[in-house]
Amino acid sequence: MKTLPTKNVVIIGATSAIAKQVAKKYADSNNQLYLVARNQEQLNIIAQDCQVRTDQGVNTFIADLTDRTQINKMFEDIQDKLSSIDVLLVAHGTLPDQKNCEQDVDQTLRAIAENGLSVINILTIAANILEKQKSGNIAVISSVAGMRGRQSNYVYGCAKSMVSTFLQGLRNRLHKSGVYVTDIKPGFVDTPMTAHIEKKGALWASSEQVGQIIVESIQKNKQTVYAPFFWRYIMLIITSVPEFIFKKLSL
Amino acid sequence: MTNSTMKTSSIKTSTIKTSTIKPSTIKSWGNYPSAETEQFFARYIVDVRKHILSNDELIARGQARSYGDSSHANTTLNTTHLNQYINFDQHSGLLTCFAGTTLENILNTFVPKGWTLIITPGTKYVTVAGAIASDVHGKNHHIQGCFSQCIQQITLMLANGELIECSPVKNTELFQATCSGMGLTGVIISATIKLQKTKTSYFSQDTIKAKNIEQALKIFEQKQDSDYHVAWIDCLATGDQLGRSIVMCAKTANKQQLKLHKSAKLNVPMFMPNLTMNRFSIAAFNALYFNKAKDNQNQIVHYESFYYPLDGLKNWNRLYGKNGFVQYQFVVPKQNGLEALTLILEKISNSKQGSCLTVLKELGPENENYLSFPIKGYTLALDFKVSPTIWGLLDELDELVLKYGGKIYLCKDARMSEQTFKQCYPNWTKLQKVREKFGSLQKFNSNQSNRLGLHP
Ligand SMILES: Cc1cc2nc3c(=O)[nH]c(=O)nc-3n(C[C@H](O)[C@H](O)[C@H](O)COP(=O)(O)OP(=O)(O)OC[C@H]3O[C@@H](n4cnc5c(N)ncnc54)[C@H](O)[C@@H]3O)c2cc1C
Ligand SMILES: NC(=O)c1ccc[n+]([C@@H]2O[C@H](COP(=O)([O-])OP(=O)(O)OC[C@H]3O[C@@H](n4cnc5c(N)ncnc54)[C@H](OP(=O)(O)O)[C@@H]3O)[C@@H](O)[C@H]2O)c1
């Protein structure tokens, strides 16, 4: 067996169905893991699973990622426990109910905090650590939903587009430090987040497929990745429909 | 307990998000029969509890590699996402994992670490729970027994949502009812399986041609000491070629290499037209297969092609067309086995409805699990494309099997009558007693169990 040097892999939002698959794959190739989520019971199950797979350590940390102090504590703990961060995946997110958001400022702002601000909080701290370290990969799961505002989903979409724009700038900044920044844009993935949506047709991917794409993209230091690839073409079409037509569509 | 009390319990509602699919049509490996079902997917133990408590009746479902309706019901609880490892003891080789972990998962993780499964059926795409529920057997049954043989413990969720452990020494009757119990005792949550150390992922395989069934059984006899054996029979051959076969015997190879093989690349992308599998194409295929095989050949083969030759062609079940097929697997006692097999093969070859390739295995002694299939004897598994003419033939085969004191395998079954079942499996009464004792009778029922008269 070929043995690659082990990496320290930090996965934030590790109880996400997609992140779980990524964690399994990194554990299978014998890396050290640091897993963060807010649900202790679920996180323990995932950590146990990874510990069976890898000979290296599996650390866990419980945090609500909309809480700044908890994020600070998390990074203190990470730096305590890991000698470096070789891979950082930020995966957490929520899918708000658009209709409810339209009637409720609290819900709208919370969705933006969960999907946008919390990610930027994490990345702002992580960027400095990796910049100093002069190596490593940052990967974040945004969404194709961030590429064009649609009436059915623009609150979630705007938070994701904030993340994508932030990542572009960050990539630009960290390039000279040898840090790679990957923006992962899934389309429809069959996970608990989309449990209420009826799954039909070939556009739906499994969390395992997307997990595989994420691991491969990080390994190849990719920049923007559509998961699966065909979303690049779908989004090319969707983003090129002129606004005067688009606004009349019920997307 | 109702839904609302669940939601106010200490568990955050976010932990019991589960996927629901509106009533949909499901099928299993044979694509026959189909069923309308409301299917829930459990990701955590709390999901299983929630669905057990909030539905009057349901049946667990794994990878749907059973052929018929044993995991079909109006409400199904899919446990394939409940698939994490819990613990592995490097000294004893004991692996504890959740119910939906597949044998493929286990091999992929553990073969590179030098551990492998002791018992596996002919496909790796089954869940641990499915393998327990059917108490499956492999090509080494004559030496190692059924899957339950390597199960140290099972954690089951009962109709009241409680977890209970059972093992050969603890709640023994529940263990014996659950192993082979087709999901009828409760939902398996996790299990502890014994793995064995290995230095190789290869087998040394001997291939021997047998010109008829009698010779095939003789070869089995001579090769009693080989760890694994199986034969492919051409069941359309007649006369003194009746039951001509290719016998394969194997033991683990000396080649010390722990390698995984890439998953199947060949795929049957869609259902084939109904004409694909007709008796001419089958006869031609069998003749070709039989003549191509070299006699008395020894080869070193990877476990992938030895254990799972059919997994090499993804979705091969689609070859039988949209209407599907029935796999008929029976076992007859060793005594008078040749006579029984001869009569049955004659009936099939006369009917001209035989299947492509038919698998013959010798099975070892039976175990104590109530609905376990194997008994000391010979088992044949035959595929029949669904058509109006097969049902009469299969009923006639049932009669022959029963006459010789044999049994029909439940995880392949899609059409057996209640009467036949109860004659094959006299221990069904014991199963019912255990189900009654643990409150499973009303809650866990499948379309198959209803057909077989196991509904209260
Ligand atoms: C190509 C092929 C080759 C095969 N070869 C063999 C062979 O060599 N030997 C052999 O013995 N079998 C063989 N089989 C049959 C197969 O091993 C069994 O049907 C097995 O039970 C399938 O497991 P599954 O996960 O797909 O379960 P399903 O088909 O989904 O369900 C099967 C049964 O398990 C129950 N079940 C599933 N999950 C749970 C759970 N969590 N708790 C309680 N009950 C549960 C279901 O209720 C149902 O009764 C083969 C099948 C195929 C398709
Ligand atoms: N599924 C899709 O179709 C799809 C498409 C495009 C993009 N995405 C993105 O993919 C990522 C993963 O989602 P998924 O599909 O795997 O869904 P998921 O299984 O529901 O995962 C989302 C995870 O985020 C966690 N989370 C949310 N808010 C949090 C907070 N404040 N603090 C800590 N953890 C929090 C959730 O934790 P709890 O379980 O504790 O709530 C959950 O584990 C998300 O960023 C999502 O937006 C998904």
Side-chain angles (χ1 to χ4, degrees), chain B residues 381-420:
Chain B
L382 311 120
D383 296 345
F384 292 91
K385 196 175 116 183
V386 169
S387 83
T389 53
I390 64 168
W391 310 116
L393 173 68
L394 294 177
D395 288 343
E396 287 174 34
L397 295 182
D398 284 354
E399 272 172 42
L400 273 175
V401 170
L402 285 177
K403 190 177 132 203
Y404 281 92
K407 282 173 162 182
I408 292 145
Y409 199 1
L410 289 172
C411 73
K412 311 287 177 83
D413 162 60
R415 37 67 56 194
M416 183 180 2
S417 72
E418 172 176 351
Q419 204 191 355
T420 306

Side-chain angles (χ1 to χ4, degrees), chain B residues 29 59-67 70-71 79 99 121-123 125-127 129-131 133-134 136-138 182-183 186-188 310-311 316 361 409 411-412:
Chain B
W29 193 249
I59 195 75
R61 183 164 164 89
Q63 285 269 91
R65 252 44 184 209
S66 55
Y67 284 68
S70 55
S71 62
T79 52
T123 174
Y125 302 118
V126 301
T127 64
S134 304
V136 300
H137 58 270
M182 305 310 285
V187 177
I188 298 168
L310 291 170
D311 287 350
W316 62 262
K361 274 186 272 207
Y409 199 1
C411 73
K412 311 287 177 83

Side-chain angles (χ1 to χ4, degrees), chain B residues 321-367:
Chain B
K322 268 212 164 75
N323 298 337
F325 67 108
V326 172
Q327 184 167 93
Y328 187 78
Q329 183 170 3
F330 67 89
V331 56
V332 286
K334 191 160 179 177
Q335 206 182 8
N336 301 329
L338 176 61
E339 185 184 313
L341 290 175
T342 307
L343 278 176
I344 290 170
L345 284 169
E346 268 170 4
K347 201 175 242 333
I348 293 165
S349 72
N350 289 339
S351 77
K352 303 274 192 286
Q353 304 203 48
S355 55
C356 211
L357 283 169
T358 298
V359 183
L360 171 71
K361 274 186 272 207
E362 182 175 359
L363 297 177
E366 65 190 301
N367 65 22

